[in-house]
């Protein structure tokens, strides 16, 4: 399911209209819809407002219920599943569960992932009554989770009547899939088991509005004319490319133009790194060798699904602007005096590919200026473990069927140094940047992509936020490999602005796995303090198919990438800009 989101591939299930319509309840209707859009799992934390709903979801044998340790992790597990599988669902209880999950849902919004958050809710009879209820603010207002959800989803609905449930459920799911954003569905606990209509054909939910053909034609003509006048165009790939389902079409345009293709850090692996025109990660001052130079040398930059924020522009020092920039966004193309909307990115790229002529100058120049970074030499097996040695040893593990998941921290910059061969995938939560995201996201991703080798690179500080979800990997016997980089603190923050707040309590990270294993788990926890110990630990990890292996890699507090130091200096300068005079 990795190339095409699940809902795009999902074949409408045949609905037996002769079945008794009363055979469906609100909960089983929802389950059927989730299954029809291609989900095989949904993530859940139980609570009395959602127990009947969970029973209803369990009754659908095509959907497996997967339990999480808390609702933040439940949301992030679903977010990781959506990365692998195209969409996801998480079920929580009212307020105490939903408010924790909201942080992950906001992350899914920022990262353009359709995660459907479903919350159990108070009995419909208790609304507009004098009753006070548990898990609330001890007021008669139960509307605040819905109101909050509206700010972090593309659709938020509250179901208090079985008759309205099908339309509201369909609206929420349809919006999420179309907009690649999360949705929120709240269901009163006495409504989940109430009878409702049977689901109609799923095509009504999946159908997309086509691009406006006149606008598409005009946009393509104008863009082709723009490129015809240029000698040295470069394509810059951004993270919204995948959400727009336009990865193949970006390759078509690259092939047609024959120009250099640079990729933003947040989009690493969205354009194949073994494509002959791939020139590396463009990240301002810390770009791959040659990538920044070729972007600077170009006379036109075609920005495809890009997001320029303070981090990706390295503290606003690498912000492409001006008449040479053409931006092709999810549903919009704009450059110079033009601004076209209501066109799908994939339609625009595919049609433009058929119109343009070859523009290979940037590839000629790139080949002249490009110098590979020299390969690192292995350190002596008994010498102290260093960050560079960790990356060197991870490199050969990344095969075409591997997904690397890189947590916020120096793992971002370490991850950029890995080459992704063939269909290797790279996952990063760079827009939202919530530390701790990667542990549950790795769990969810591994369930969504059971045939892939999953490697997670996670800092010690991040791990402490969501460590419990390793126990769920153990429960499900998922053989993921976690490189836990123990540099004794928040090193990325150290490089931006240091203080005592960047020191954290050390844990016995490897030892923790035994505690999670309890009486029946097969996780392995190992500690590496030298290159030799790391190599041995990797062998153990590769042999362990019965559960996750966590390798605690102990390094010095200041042993970080040079890229982090340069980036940290410029981001720190951007943060420190004084207020404008009044
Ligand atoms: C913070 C960050 O140990 O990685 O490589 O040592 O930096 P490094 P760690 O995981 O530490 C992470 C730490 C504290 N960011 O350096 S990036 C601020 C922050 C955040 N998200 C949340 N809280 C605080 N990004 C939820
Ligand atoms: Mg750290």
């Amino acid at each position: 399911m990795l190339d095409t989101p699940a809902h795009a591939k999902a074949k409408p299930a045949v609905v037996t209209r002769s079945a008794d319509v009363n055979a469906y309840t609100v909960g089983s209707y929802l389950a059927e819809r989730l299954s029809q859009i291609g989900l095989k799992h949904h993530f859940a934390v139980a609570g009395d407002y959602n127990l009947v709903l969970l029973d209803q979801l369990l009754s659908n044998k095509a959907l497996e219920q997967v339990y999480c340790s808390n609702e933040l992790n439940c949301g992030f597990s679903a977010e990781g599943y959506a990365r692998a599988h195209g969409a996801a669902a998480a079920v929580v209880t009212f307020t105490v569960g939903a408010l924790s999950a909201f942080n992950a849902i906001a992350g899914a919004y920022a990262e353009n992932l359709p995660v459907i958050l479903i919350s159990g809710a108070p009995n419909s009879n208790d609304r507009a009554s004098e009753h006070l209820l548990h898990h609330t603010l001890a007021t008669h207002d139960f509307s605040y989770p819905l109101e909050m959800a509206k700010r972090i989803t593309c659709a938020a609905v509250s179901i208090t009547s079985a008759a309205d449930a099908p339309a509201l459920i369909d609206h929420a799911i349809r919006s999420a899939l179309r907009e690649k954003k999360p949705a929120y569905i709240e269901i009163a606990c006495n409504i989940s088991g109430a009878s409702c209509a049977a689901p109609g054909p799923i095509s009504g939910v999946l159908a997309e509005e086509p691009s406006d053909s006149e606008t598409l034609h005009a946009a393509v003509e104008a863009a082709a004319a723009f490129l015809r006048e240029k000698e040295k165009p470069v394509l810059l790939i951004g993270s919204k490319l995948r959400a727009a389902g336009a990865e193949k079409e970006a390759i078509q345009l690259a092939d047609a133009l024959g120009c250099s293709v640079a990729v933003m850090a947040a989009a690493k692996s969205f354009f194949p790194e073994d494509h002959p025109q791939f020139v590396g990660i463009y990240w301002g001052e810390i770009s791959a060798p040659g990538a920044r130079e070729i972007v600077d040398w170009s006379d036109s930059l075609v920005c495809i699904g890009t997001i320029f924020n303070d981090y990706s522009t390295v503290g606003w020092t690498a912000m492409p602007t001006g008449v040479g920039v053409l931006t092709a966004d999810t549903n919009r193309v704009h450059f110079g005096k033009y601004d076209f909307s209501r066109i799908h990115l994939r339609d625009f790229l595919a049609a433009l590919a058929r119109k343009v002529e070859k523009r290979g100058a940037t590839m000629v120049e790139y080949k002249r200026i490009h110098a590979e970074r020299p390969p690192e030499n292995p350190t002596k097996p008994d010498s102290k473990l260093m960050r560079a040695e960790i990356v060197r040893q991870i490199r050969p593990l990344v095969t075409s069927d591997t997904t690397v998941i890189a947590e916020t921290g120096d793992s971002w910059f370490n991850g950029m140094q890995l080459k992704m061969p063939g269909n290797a995938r790279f996952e990063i939560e760079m827009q939202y940047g919530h530390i701790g995201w990667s542990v549950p996201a790795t769990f969810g991703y591994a369930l969504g992509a059971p045939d892939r080798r999953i490697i997670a690179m996670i800092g010690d500080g991040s791990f402490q936020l969501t460590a419990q979800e390793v126990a769920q990997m153990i429960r499900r016997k998922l053989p993921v490999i976690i490189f836990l980089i123990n540099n004794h603190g928040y090193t990325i923050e150290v490089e931006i602005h240091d203080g005592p707040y960047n020191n954290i309590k050390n844990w016995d990270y490897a030892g923790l796995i035994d505690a999670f294993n309890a009486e029946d788990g097969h996780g392995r926890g190992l500690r590496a303090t030298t290159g030799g110990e790391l190599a041995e630990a990797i062998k153990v990890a590769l042999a362990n198919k019965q559960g996750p292996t966590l390798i605690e890699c102990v390094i010095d507090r200041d042993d970080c990438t040079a890229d982090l130091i340069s980036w940290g200096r410029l981001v720190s300068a951007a943060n420190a800009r004084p207020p404008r005079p009044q």
Side-chain angles (χ1 to χ4, degrees), residues 168-286:
L168 291 172
I169 290 171
D170 284 5
H171 166 69
I173 295 177
R174 182 187 302 115
S175 306
L177 297 184
R178 275 193 193 172
E179 296 187 33
K180 303 294 187 291
K181 297 284 185 194
Y184 176 73
I185 303 175
E186 194 177 277
I187 307 180
C189 59
N190 59 328
I191 299 296
S192 303
S195 299
C196 74
I202 191 65
S203 52
V205 176
L206 296 179
E208 245 190 355
E209 264 190 45
S211 296
D212 179 67
S213 58
E214 257 183 71
T215 312
L216 177 62
H217 179 75
V220 170
E221 287 296 322
F226 168 88
L227 287 170
R228 217 172 291 126
E229 286 168 8
K230 311 291 181 198
E231 294 293 326
K232 308 185 287 184
V234 167
L235 302 188
L236 181 62
I237 304 291
S239 61
K240 286 189 271 178
L241 180 74
R242 175 167 72 180
E247 286 164 285
K248 281 195 197 81
E249 290 77 4
I251 298 172
Q252 286 165 13
L253 181 60
D255 289 343
L257 279 168
C259 66
S260 298
V261 182
V263 174
M264 294 185 75
K268 184 172 167 68
S269 84
F270 291 4
F271 186 87
E273 295 199 349
D274 46 13
H275 190 284
Q277 290 154 243
F278 172 71
V279 298
I281 299 298
Y282 173 72
W283 199 353
E285 184 165 315
I286 58 165

Side-chain angles (χ1 to χ4, degrees), residues 407-411 433-435 458-463 465 485 487 489-493 504:
E407 176 63 88
T408 304
D410 202 22
S411 297
H434 184 304
I435 58 171
I458 309 177
D460 49 347
S462 301
F463 185 75
L465 270 81
I485 318 295
N487 55 11
Y490 297 149
T491 293
I492 197 171
E493 305 295 349
I504 61 175

Side-chain angles (χ1 to χ4, degrees), residues 127 145 148 170 177 182 256 267 275 330 406 451 479 504 517 519 525 533 547:
R127 311 210 173 201
M148 292 163 89
D170 284 5
L177 297 184
H275 190 284
T330 313
D451 299 329
I504 61 175
N517 276 335
E519 63 286 344
E533 286 172 4

